[in-house]
Amino acid sequence: MSLDDKDKKIMLSEKEMPRQWYNINPDLPRPLDPPLHPQTGKPLTPDDLSILFPMELIMQEVSMDRFIDIPKELIDIYRMWRPTPLVRAERLEKFLDTPAKIYFKNESVSPAGSHKPNTAVAQAYYNKMEGTKNLATETGAGQWGSALAFACNIFGIGCTVYMVRVSYDQKPYRKLMMRLWGADVYASPSDRTDAGKNMLAEDPNSPGSLGLAISEAVEVAAKSGGTTKYSLGSVLNHVILHQSIVGLETKKQFEKIGEFPDILIGCVGGGSNFGGFTFPFISDKMKNKDMRIIAVEPIACPSLTKGPFAYDYGDTAKTGPIAKMYTLGHDFIPPGIHAGGLRYHGMSPQVSLLYNEKLIEAVAVHQKTIFDAGAIFTKTEGIIPAPETCHAIRVVIDEALECKKTGEKKVIAFNFSGHGHFDLSSYEAYMDGKLLNYEYPDEKIKESLKKLPKF
Ligand SMILES: Cc1ncc(COP(=O)(O)O)c(C=O)c1O
């Protein structure tokens, strides 16, 4: 096997790690629609948000500065796992017999096993600086909860995690990781909040949803009298800002080998790994029309491909901000698919706007086919991908096979957002033939969309 005399892993030294994050706000083709207050429907002010977030993160959320300095303390922490390698998947290429070159940015090398710590440590840092004693959050598959538990432990602040019931039962070892880092973990819906109790009264067997777990964590923060703040692992501008380090490194790595990607691919739940990986390339895309940027979502939770671009609540109990985004409706309870991190009803407003402007594409894929892709990747490149990441790999394989048909030597790069070491029960269901392909009925989506706020 020849690698054209190039290394399999393109590395950056710690000195080459970016010292600033990239903020796409000033480069968006039009401004974002303002987030609205859930009760008044008026544009949110920084003061409205201060009950949930520290001021520095609120300022980042609305910043129009293209680059924002990464504090030195965070650079030191990032050095625990960053820069991450950009890896040429030549074994996968060989298996597919494709002329395409496939690269993956390996974010699974972080302590928690995904891209999520890139923002978790930043959020914990700014909270610590402003005196927060405890952070409350939600988690789907457990990757975000474990990332925040890891980050809070570093800064000596408490961490309370509401974990979506179906994942809580499917992924028991993620719970233990969080507890080992010192977090308290509760299945959502729980009987600790009004939002949870209301849901349990309606459906004692509710599998939960990210929208509901967010409501529980927001309620805990809002009622804490200021000691507990809320932390979100995706969707928001400041989260994608922190994740931009992934794409900035990737750009430098491609520069090192004198190549440039023709296709960038990432899976999307709330949009943070996709946004972080691709946004630093959006201005290139604006100049170079041939480049494709593809977001991949589950057919079971198809916000970009089936939802309208509309104002909706970010959470089920309607207590968090209202945002303009592609949405399936805030009370949408997606089926218990195995990619728990892709079960959010909405989408990052920045990703939504770029999709609406046709600067990015979206594809929805079935659960079984993503595990086929994950199994191929495991057997060729050796790393077991998280089910979320398998969505990206599915489309990478499809695009590489298309290149085989056309003979094109495209450069395809994707974000390997996390490993699946704690998702093996999902792989077991796949190997035992117990996985179902679930397509959300259009009727149910329509029903949920009737409840969009009328502002
Ligand atoms: C490994 C992995 N990839 C992707 C996602 C999707 O989230 P996002 O769209 O914010 O990257 C998650 C969410 O939990 C995840 O754990």
Side-chain angles (χ1 to χ4, degrees), residues 114-116 143 233-234 267-273 341-342 386 388-389 417-418:
S114 78
H115 64 295
K116 298 280 180 182
Q143 290 268 22
S234 188
C267 64
V268 280
S272 76
N273 88 86
L342 306 186
E388 290 81 4
T389 311
S417 57

Side-chain angles (χ1 to χ4, degrees), residues 43 48 89 135 144 192 261 305 341 355 358 381 388 435:
D48 293 330
L135 278 174
W144 166 242
R192 298 171 51 86
T305 50
Y355 182 58
K358 300 193 168 45
E381 293 298 322
E388 290 81 4
L435 278 190

Side-chain angles (χ1 to χ4, degrees), residues 156-329:
I157 49 184
C159 183
T160 311
V161 182
Y162 287 86
M163 184 169 187
V164 177
R165 170 103 248 167
V166 59
S167 297
Y168 188 89
D169 296 334
Q170 277 172 354
K171 322 224 152 145
Y173 292 111
R174 280 272 163 204
K175 271 181 281 195
L176 297 179
M177 275 176 96
M178 292 185 249
R179 284 180 53 204
L180 201 52
W181 273 312
D184 295 320
V185 190
Y186 302 100
S188 169
S190 78
D191 60 3
R192 298 171 51 86
T193 65
D194 291 341
K197 282 184 208 154
N198 290 343
M199 178 54 78
L200 288 174
E202 223 175 86
D203 176 6
N205 299 317
S206 167
S209 69
L210 275 168
L212 182 67
I214 293 173
S215 297
E216 294 209 79
V218 165
E219 187 180 325
V220 168
K223 287 183 176 166
S224 74
T227 54
T228 297
K229 298 267 182 197
Y230 168 68
S231 172
L232 187 62
S234 188
V235 181
L236 298 176
N237 304 345
H238 67 262
V239 178
I240 300 187
L241 170 81
H242 304 149
Q243 293 295 355
S244 69
I245 192 158
V246 178
L248 291 168
E249 282 182 8
T250 305
K251 260 190 129 165
K252 278 193 171 187
Q253 285 161 314
F254 272 119
E255 272 164 27
K256 270 199 163 181
I257 54 168
E259 284 189 12
F260 197 83
D262 297 302
I263 308 180
L264 287 177
I265 298 173
C267 64
V268 280
S272 76
N273 88 86
F274 172 81
F277 179 57
T278 64
F279 284 4
F281 292 88
I282 288 285
S283 52
D284 301 287
K285 160 77 187 171
M286 285 173 169
K287 286 178 227 143
N288 169 10
K289 298 253 183 312
D290 280 346
M291 182 184 188
R292 294 176 64 204
I293 301 180
I294 309 174
V296 191
E297 62 184 9
I299 281 185
C301 190
S303 46
L304 283 175
T305 50
K306 286 225 172 139
F309 187 36
Y311 267 116
D312 195 9
Y313 299 96
D315 69 311
T316 308
K318 305 193 270 198
T319 43
I322 299 173
K324 179 89 178 280
M325 58 185 175
Y326 282 88
T327 178
L328 297 167

